[in-house]
mmCIF file of all heavy atoms in Angstrom:
data_model
loop_
_atom_site.group_PDB
_atom_site.id
_atom_site.type_symbol
_atom_site.label_atom_id
_atom_site.label_comp_id
_atom_site.label_asym_id
_atom_site.label_seq_id
_atom_site.Cartn_x
_atom_site.Cartn_y
_atom_site.Cartn_z
ATOM 1 N N ILE A 139 16.778 0.804 -20.827
ATOM 2 C CA ILE A 139 16.148 1.403 -22.002
ATOM 3 C C ILE A 139 16.125 0.403 -23.164
ATOM 4 O O ILE A 139 16.727 -0.661 -23.087
ATOM 5 C CB ILE A 139 16.816 2.728 -22.421
ATOM 6 C CG1 ILE A 139 18.220 2.464 -22.914
ATOM 7 C CG2 ILE A 139 16.815 3.763 -21.318
ATOM 8 C CD1 ILE A 139 18.733 3.642 -23.666
ATOM 9 N N GLY A 140 15.419 0.766 -24.209
ATOM 10 C CA GLY A 140 15.307 -0.115 -25.366
ATOM 11 C C GLY A 140 14.089 0.299 -26.171
ATOM 12 O O GLY A 140 13.177 0.934 -25.623
ATOM 13 N N PRO A 141 14.046 -0.067 -27.454
ATOM 14 C CA PRO A 141 12.950 0.380 -28.327
ATOM 15 C C PRO A 141 11.555 -0.009 -27.840
ATOM 16 O O PRO A 141 10.581 0.628 -28.193
ATOM 17 C CB PRO A 141 13.242 -0.294 -29.661
ATOM 18 C CG PRO A 141 14.673 -0.665 -29.616
ATOM 19 C CD PRO A 141 15.038 -0.859 -28.175
ATOM 20 N N GLU A 142 11.474 -1.070 -27.012
ATOM 21 C CA GLU A 142 10.160 -1.486 -26.508
ATOM 22 C C GLU A 142 10.046 -1.232 -25.007
ATOM 23 O O GLU A 142 9.107 -1.694 -24.367
ATOM 24 C CB GLU A 142 9.915 -2.990 -26.750
ATOM 25 C CG GLU A 142 10.263 -3.485 -28.129
ATOM 26 C CD GLU A 142 9.305 -2.969 -29.185
ATOM 27 O OE1 GLU A 142 8.194 -2.550 -28.831
ATOM 28 O OE2 GLU A 142 9.697 -2.980 -30.370
ATOM 29 N N VAL A 143 11.061 -0.578 -24.440
ATOM 30 C CA VAL A 143 11.092 -0.412 -22.980
ATOM 31 C C VAL A 143 11.006 1.066 -22.607
ATOM 32 O O VAL A 143 10.104 1.499 -21.897
ATOM 33 C CB VAL A 143 12.414 -1.003 -22.396
ATOM 34 C CG1 VAL A 143 12.413 -0.913 -20.875
ATOM 35 C CG2 VAL A 143 12.633 -2.422 -22.859
ATOM 36 N N ASP A 144 11.935 1.827 -23.110
ATOM 37 C CA ASP A 144 12.007 3.256 -22.792
ATOM 38 C C ASP A 144 12.908 3.887 -23.847
ATOM 39 O O ASP A 144 14.017 3.407 -24.093
ATOM 40 C CB ASP A 144 12.595 3.424 -21.376
ATOM 41 C CG ASP A 144 12.730 4.890 -20.975
ATOM 42 O OD1 ASP A 144 12.230 5.762 -21.704
ATOM 43 O OD2 ASP A 144 13.347 5.149 -19.918
ATOM 44 N N ILE A 145 12.399 4.940 -24.485
ATOM 45 C CA ILE A 145 13.091 5.547 -25.625
ATOM 46 C C ILE A 145 13.434 7.001 -25.300
ATOM 47 O O ILE A 145 12.542 7.865 -25.322
ATOM 48 C CB ILE A 145 12.167 5.492 -26.877
ATOM 49 C CG1 ILE A 145 11.681 4.065 -27.123
ATOM 50 C CG2 ILE A 145 12.882 6.055 -28.108
ATOM 51 C CD1 ILE A 145 10.191 3.918 -27.135
ATOM 52 N N PRO A 146 14.680 7.291 -24.962
ATOM 53 C CA PRO A 146 15.036 8.686 -24.693
ATOM 54 C C PRO A 146 15.017 9.549 -25.953
ATOM 55 O O PRO A 146 14.926 9.049 -27.084
ATOM 56 C CB PRO A 146 16.454 8.598 -24.121
ATOM 57 C CG PRO A 146 16.684 7.174 -23.774
ATOM 58 C CD PRO A 146 15.818 6.382 -24.717
ATOM 59 N N GLY A 147 15.113 10.842 -25.750
ATOM 60 C CA GLY A 147 15.164 11.806 -26.844
ATOM 61 C C GLY A 147 15.854 13.058 -26.332
ATOM 62 O O GLY A 147 16.340 13.088 -25.200
ATOM 63 N N PRO A 148 15.881 14.115 -27.131
ATOM 64 C CA PRO A 148 16.576 15.332 -26.680
ATOM 65 C C PRO A 148 15.750 16.165 -25.703
ATOM 66 O O PRO A 148 14.525 16.058 -25.672
ATOM 67 C CB PRO A 148 16.803 16.114 -27.982
ATOM 68 C CG PRO A 148 15.776 15.603 -28.938
ATOM 69 C CD PRO A 148 15.395 14.225 -28.517
ATOM 70 N N ASP A 149 16.391 16.974 -24.924
ATOM 71 C CA ASP A 149 15.728 17.939 -24.046
ATOM 72 C C ASP A 149 16.721 19.094 -23.873
ATOM 73 O O ASP A 149 17.616 19.271 -24.714
ATOM 74 C CB ASP A 149 15.360 17.259 -22.712
ATOM 75 C CG ASP A 149 14.320 18.045 -21.927
ATOM 76 O OD1 ASP A 149 13.148 18.031 -22.305
ATOM 77 O OD2 ASP A 149 14.683 18.703 -20.937
ATOM 78 N N MET A 150 16.589 19.832 -22.795
ATOM 79 C CA MET A 150 17.415 21.025 -22.608
ATOM 80 C C MET A 150 18.919 20.701 -22.730
ATOM 81 O O MET A 150 19.417 19.798 -22.053
ATOM 82 C CB MET A 150 17.115 21.567 -21.213
ATOM 83 C CG MET A 150 17.527 22.991 -21.005
ATOM 84 S SD MET A 150 17.174 23.417 -19.313
ATOM 85 C CE MET A 150 15.414 23.589 -19.358
ATOM 86 N N ASN A 151 19.601 21.447 -23.598
ATOM 87 C CA ASN A 151 21.062 21.312 -23.821
ATOM 88 C C ASN A 151 21.501 19.975 -24.402
ATOM 89 O O ASN A 151 22.688 19.645 -24.355
ATOM 90 C CB ASN A 151 21.871 21.544 -22.528
ATOM 91 C CG ASN A 151 21.746 22.960 -22.032
ATOM 92 O OD1 ASN A 151 21.621 23.880 -22.829
ATOM 93 N ND2 ASN A 151 21.763 23.147 -20.730
ATOM 94 N N THR A 152 20.593 19.178 -24.918
ATOM 95 C CA THR A 152 21.020 17.961 -25.623
ATOM 96 C C THR A 152 20.475 18.045 -27.049
ATOM 97 O O THR A 152 19.321 18.412 -27.247
ATOM 98 C CB THR A 152 20.523 16.673 -24.937
ATOM 99 O OG1 THR A 152 19.106 16.732 -24.794
ATOM 100 C CG2 THR A 152 21.172 16.458 -23.586
ATOM 101 N N ASP A 153 21.321 17.747 -28.007
ATOM 102 C CA ASP A 153 20.920 17.945 -29.396
ATOM 103 C C ASP A 153 21.136 16.675 -30.213
ATOM 104 O O ASP A 153 21.430 15.611 -29.662
ATOM 105 C CB ASP A 153 21.709 19.117 -30.005
ATOM 106 C CG ASP A 153 23.215 18.878 -29.897
ATOM 107 O OD1 ASP A 153 23.623 17.748 -29.547
ATOM 108 O OD2 ASP A 153 23.986 19.817 -30.160
ATOM 109 N N GLU A 154 21.024 16.808 -31.530
ATOM 110 C CA GLU A 154 21.096 15.604 -32.363
ATOM 111 C C GLU A 154 22.483 14.954 -32.307
ATOM 112 O O GLU A 154 22.593 13.740 -32.396
ATOM 113 C CB GLU A 154 20.664 15.900 -33.798
ATOM 114 C CG GLU A 154 21.460 16.978 -34.489
ATOM 115 C CD GLU A 154 21.139 17.039 -35.977
ATOM 116 O OE1 GLU A 154 19.961 17.008 -36.326
ATOM 117 O OE2 GLU A 154 22.106 17.101 -36.772
ATOM 118 N N ARG A 155 23.517 15.757 -32.114
ATOM 119 C CA ARG A 155 24.845 15.152 -32.048
ATOM 120 C C ARG A 155 24.949 14.236 -30.821
ATOM 121 O O ARG A 155 25.451 13.111 -30.900
ATOM 122 C CB ARG A 155 25.890 16.267 -31.984
ATOM 123 C CG ARG A 155 27.297 15.740 -32.072
ATOM 124 C CD ARG A 155 28.294 16.835 -32.352
ATOM 125 N NE ARG A 155 28.103 17.947 -31.436
ATOM 126 C CZ ARG A 155 28.709 19.125 -31.549
ATOM 127 N NH1 ARG A 155 29.503 19.350 -32.556
ATOM 128 N NH2 ARG A 155 28.507 20.079 -30.669
ATOM 129 N N ILE A 156 24.416 14.720 -29.701
ATOM 130 C CA ILE A 156 24.449 13.914 -28.469
ATOM 131 C C ILE A 156 23.585 12.651 -28.628
ATOM 132 O O ILE A 156 23.982 11.553 -28.223
ATOM 133 C CB ILE A 156 24.003 14.788 -27.266
ATOM 134 C CG1 ILE A 156 25.068 15.869 -27.024
ATOM 135 C CG2 ILE A 156 23.750 13.951 -26.016
ATOM 136 C CD1 ILE A 156 24.733 16.885 -25.948
ATOM 137 N N MET A 157 22.415 12.804 -29.254
ATOM 138 C CA MET A 157 21.562 11.620 -29.478
ATOM 139 C C MET A 157 22.291 10.616 -30.376
ATOM 140 O O MET A 157 22.194 9.404 -30.197
ATOM 141 C CB MET A 157 20.226 12.021 -30.122
ATOM 142 C CG MET A 157 19.349 12.924 -29.274
ATOM 143 S SD MET A 157 18.941 12.227 -27.658
ATOM 144 C CE MET A 157 19.837 13.321 -26.565
ATOM 145 N N GLY A 158 23.033 11.135 -31.343
ATOM 146 C CA GLY A 158 23.793 10.277 -32.262
ATOM 147 C C GLY A 158 24.865 9.484 -31.517
ATOM 148 O O GLY A 158 25.012 8.269 -31.710
ATOM 149 N N TRP A 159 25.610 10.156 -30.636
ATOM 150 C CA TRP A 159 26.650 9.447 -29.858
ATOM 151 C C TRP A 159 26.001 8.358 -29.002
ATOM 152 O O TRP A 159 26.518 7.247 -28.887
ATOM 153 C CB TRP A 159 27.374 10.431 -28.928
ATOM 154 C CG TRP A 159 28.290 11.392 -29.618
ATOM 155 C CD1 TRP A 159 29.016 11.160 -30.752
ATOM 156 C CD2 TRP A 159 28.588 12.736 -29.203
ATOM 157 N NE1 TRP A 159 29.747 12.285 -31.066
ATOM 158 C CE2 TRP A 159 29.515 13.261 -30.126
ATOM 159 C CE3 TRP A 159 28.182 13.545 -28.144
ATOM 160 C CZ2 TRP A 159 30.026 14.562 -30.035
ATOM 161 C CZ3 TRP A 159 28.690 14.830 -28.039
ATOM 162 C CH2 TRP A 159 29.598 15.339 -28.971
ATOM 163 N N MET A 160 24.876 8.703 -28.383
ATOM 164 C CA MET A 160 24.221 7.722 -27.495
ATOM 165 C C MET A 160 23.728 6.515 -28.290
ATOM 166 O O MET A 160 23.837 5.371 -27.849
ATOM 167 C CB MET A 160 23.074 8.380 -26.731
ATOM 168 C CG MET A 160 23.552 9.380 -25.689
ATOM 169 S SD MET A 160 22.160 9.978 -24.717
ATOM 170 C CE MET A 160 23.003 11.004 -23.510
ATOM 171 N N SER A 161 23.170 6.791 -29.466
ATOM 172 C CA SER A 161 22.670 5.710 -30.310
ATOM 173 C C SER A 161 23.825 4.798 -30.728
ATOM 174 O O SER A 161 23.733 3.564 -30.668
ATOM 175 C CB SER A 161 21.993 6.342 -31.538
ATOM 176 O OG SER A 161 21.574 5.368 -32.429
ATOM 177 N N ASP A 162 24.933 5.406 -31.096
ATOM 178 C CA ASP A 162 26.114 4.647 -31.516
ATOM 179 C C ASP A 162 26.642 3.794 -30.356
ATOM 180 O O ASP A 162 27.015 2.628 -30.532
ATOM 181 C CB ASP A 162 27.186 5.637 -31.989
ATOM 182 C CG ASP A 162 28.393 4.938 -32.561
ATOM 183 O OD1 ASP A 162 28.209 4.163 -33.517
ATOM 184 O OD2 ASP A 162 29.506 5.147 -32.046
ATOM 185 N N GLU A 163 26.620 4.366 -29.153
ATOM 186 C CA GLU A 163 27.101 3.631 -27.979
ATOM 187 C C GLU A 163 26.198 2.415 -27.709
ATOM 188 O O GLU A 163 26.684 1.327 -27.404
ATOM 189 C CB GLU A 163 27.119 4.562 -26.750
ATOM 190 C CG GLU A 163 27.825 3.997 -25.536
ATOM 191 C CD GLU A 163 29.334 3.791 -25.729
ATOM 192 O OE1 GLU A 163 29.925 4.471 -26.585
ATOM 193 O OE2 GLU A 163 29.890 2.927 -25.037
ATOM 194 N N TYR A 164 24.907 2.608 -27.832
ATOM 195 C CA TYR A 164 23.964 1.503 -27.587
ATOM 196 C C TYR A 164 24.218 0.374 -28.597
ATOM 197 O O TYR A 164 24.293 -0.795 -28.228
ATOM 198 C CB TYR A 164 22.524 2.018 -27.695
ATOM 199 C CG TYR A 164 21.490 1.002 -27.278
ATOM 200 C CD1 TYR A 164 21.238 0.766 -25.926
ATOM 201 C CD2 TYR A 164 20.771 0.274 -28.220
ATOM 202 C CE1 TYR A 164 20.294 -0.171 -25.527
ATOM 203 C CE2 TYR A 164 19.820 -0.662 -27.841
ATOM 204 C CZ TYR A 164 19.584 -0.883 -26.488
ATOM 205 O OH TYR A 164 18.645 -1.807 -26.099
#
Side-chain angles (χ1 to χ4, degrees):
I139 67 164
E142 314 290 340
V143 184
D144 179 9
I145 307 122
D149 197 74
M150 198 183 285
N151 295 327
T152 55
D153 57 11
E154 58 170 46
R155 187 166 50 189
I156 293 175
M157 297 303 112
W159 288 328
M160 290 186 175
S161 176
D162 185 57
E163 190 66 24
Y164 188 79

